[in-house]
Amino acid sequence: MKGIGPGKIRALLQKYPNTDCLSKLNASDMMQVRGITREIANSIKMMDVSIGKQSLADAEKINARYITYWDDEFPDSLKRVFDSPIGIYIIGKLKDIPKLGVVGSRKPTPYGKLTCNNLTEKLVKSNLGIVSGLARGIDSLAHGVAVKNGGYTIAVMGCGINICYPPENRSLREKIIETGAIISEFPPGTPPDSTNFPKRNRIISGLSKGILVIEAGKKSGAVITAYLALDQNREVFAVPGRIDSEQSYGCHKLIQQGAKLVTSVDDVLEEFQLPKATFQTELIPELTDAESDLFKFISNEAVHIDHLCNISGKDTPEVLTNLLQLELKGCIIQLPGKNFTRR
């Protein structure tokens, strides 16, 4: 309803907890609640409750449920946010474990993708849940890594819970539901309008102990989420990048303003006073002499196949054969445009 948000609804229901009586109150009664104008009061008296009933029926059809701010199941961390939603639709299960929001660019660089993979995997193995927005780029990568490593993850949607956005994440969405949760404050059928995503971001930070930003441009939604986290007394972490990279501008700005610079998962765990996790070192598989010679020219920075041919002195077919073997052995990753980087 235009002009009334979660804060006014909570104030109204605190004074008049019996919702069935709201339409019977006169405007003057409702105007005793701070923020309720005569125009809003008249709108409430004329409200169509069938819209809400239809939303609940639509949610039930897809095995979703609606939990309100006053329900025991409603997350305590989200309840403490000053503009907490009045209720959320949910598919899946809510776990009471420490969670970290992982957000970033929708168009991450190879460096951003590798960093997201490495950090998220270690966060999950340190028993932290991952919260993000199922958007393209870093969000989807973080969810995917969590699922792949048997971790817990929550996807907060900027549309109705019965809509998969972006559509290519349908398979990932189903995997999240199996072990984690999909959440939205918007009624089923709500399209993914641009105005919904800033609202969605406060829930990502509200569910989390802190926010980790991995690559963010000047006007990135990830930076907005970080500022919301600060408003909510959450920790903000940022991964540094190249100083000439537009995708690192937002992270560097956050670091300048006091965000904790992250170089390893320990930087996050120390802030929350969580024990440092121990990880088994992955040994490089046995390589042939030709594979080993080529592997030494590949680093964490993307390198093109033409450059590999030049510096190795080998022809393209031979280099391609060895690259394929290195990829099959899990040593390297192929990026778009025939670029390669270490795994």
Side-chain angles (χ1 to χ4, degrees), residues 17-70:
N18 189 339
T19 54
D20 292 334
C21 294
L22 283 178
S23 60
K24 299 174 185 177
L25 295 171
N26 60 45
S28 298
D29 290 332
M30 282 189 271
M31 288 169 63
Q32 293 179 31
V33 177
R34 184 177 179 180
I36 303 296
T37 64
R38 185 171 295 277
E39 183 181 3
I40 291 174
N42 289 332
S43 294
I44 292 172
K45 287 182 65 63
M46 300 296 291
M47 67 182 175
D48 183 0
V49 296
S50 67
I51 296 172
K53 290 179 179 178
Q54 185 61 53
S55 293
L56 294 176
D58 291 342
E60 190 174 352
K61 290 176 185 175
I62 56 169
N63 295 320
R65 60 194 188 281
Y66 185 69
I67 55 175
T68 76
Y69 178 88
W70 296 274

Side-chain angles (χ1 to χ4, degrees), residues 35-318:
I36 303 296
T37 64
R38 185 171 295 277
E39 183 181 3
I40 291 174
N42 289 332
S43 294
I44 292 172
K45 287 182 65 63
M46 300 296 291
M47 67 182 175
D48 183 0
V49 296
S50 67
I51 296 172
K53 290 179 179 178
Q54 185 61 53
S55 293
L56 294 176
D58 291 342
E60 190 174 352
K61 290 176 185 175
I62 56 169
N63 295 320
R65 60 194 188 281
Y66 185 69
I67 55 175
T68 76
Y69 178 88
W70 296 274
D71 292 329
D72 292 338
E73 192 182 0
F74 197 87
D76 285 337
S77 61
L78 188 56
K79 191 175 288 188
R80 292 194 292 269
V81 173
F82 76 95
D83 58 347
S84 173
I86 213 70
I88 52 176
Y89 296 88
I90 174 172
I91 306 177
K93 51 191 173 186
L94 293 173
K95 279 189 179 180
D96 187 19
I97 62 171
K99 305 174 191 69
L100 187 74
V102 179
V103 295
S105 172
R106 282 171 168 75
K107 296 179 180 179
T109 66
Y111 163 78
K113 293 178 182 179
L114 282 173
T115 302
C116 181
N117 284 336
N118 292 336
L119 288 177
T120 305
E121 180 179 351
K122 290 176 180 177
L123 288 167
V124 166
K125 290 180 177 178
S126 300
N127 299 316
L128 279 169
I130 303 298
V131 184
S132 198
L134 202 63
R136 294 182 177 98
I138 295 297
D139 288 26
S140 295
L141 282 170
H143 288 306
V145 173
V147 168
K148 182 180 178 182
N149 288 277
Y152 179 76
T153 184
I154 296 176
V156 186
M157 307 299 294
C159 55
I161 201 164
N162 58 339
I163 295 175
C164 182
Y165 183 80
E168 64 266 25
N169 274 347
R170 190 168 301 280
S171 175
L172 176 58
R173 181 180 186 273
E174 294 307 311
K175 290 176 183 176
I176 292 171
I177 291 171
E178 289 177 12
T179 56
I182 303 286
I183 283 177
S184 176
E185 71 174 312
F186 302 105
T190 303
D193 294 332
S194 58
T195 54
N196 295 345
F197 293 98
K199 295 178 184 177
R200 176 275 304 270
N201 292 345
R202 83 190 195 286
I203 299 179
I204 294 176
S205 53
L207 288 168
S208 309
K209 290 175 69 68
I211 292 291
L212 172 63
V213 184
I214 304 173
E215 291 198 320
K218 269 187 180 182
K219 298 180 180 179
S220 171
V223 174
I224 295 173
T225 308
Y227 287 136
L228 289 168
L230 288 173
D231 288 341
Q232 296 167 354
N233 262 343
R234 305 301 199 259
E235 298 295 335
V236 175
F237 306 88
V239 175
R242 289 174 47 143
I243 61 173
D244 60 349
S245 171
E246 290 185 7
Q247 300 293 63
S248 293
Y249 179 92
C251 289
H252 293 162
K253 197 71 177 176
L254 289 170
I255 292 169
Q256 287 175 338
Q257 294 174 346
K260 183 163 184 176
L261 185 151
V262 172
T263 59
S264 75
V265 70
D266 289 342
D267 294 323
V268 176
L269 300 178
E270 285 171 357
E271 195 67 32
F272 296 141
Q273 297 182 333
L274 295 173
K276 291 184 180 180
T278 55
F279 304 103
Q280 183 176 346
T281 302
E282 291 189 42
L283 300 177
I284 296 174
E286 187 174 339
L287 304 178
T288 65
D289 289 343
E291 292 164 1
S292 182
D293 287 343
L294 186 62
F295 185 63
K296 67 185 180 185
F297 295 121
I298 304 173
S299 67
N300 291 332
E301 293 290 332
V303 58
H304 193 268
I305 186 172
D306 291 345
H307 184 60
L308 287 172
C309 291
N310 290 334
I311 59 178
S312 67
K314 308 291 184 182
D315 58 24
T316 301
E318 184 178 356

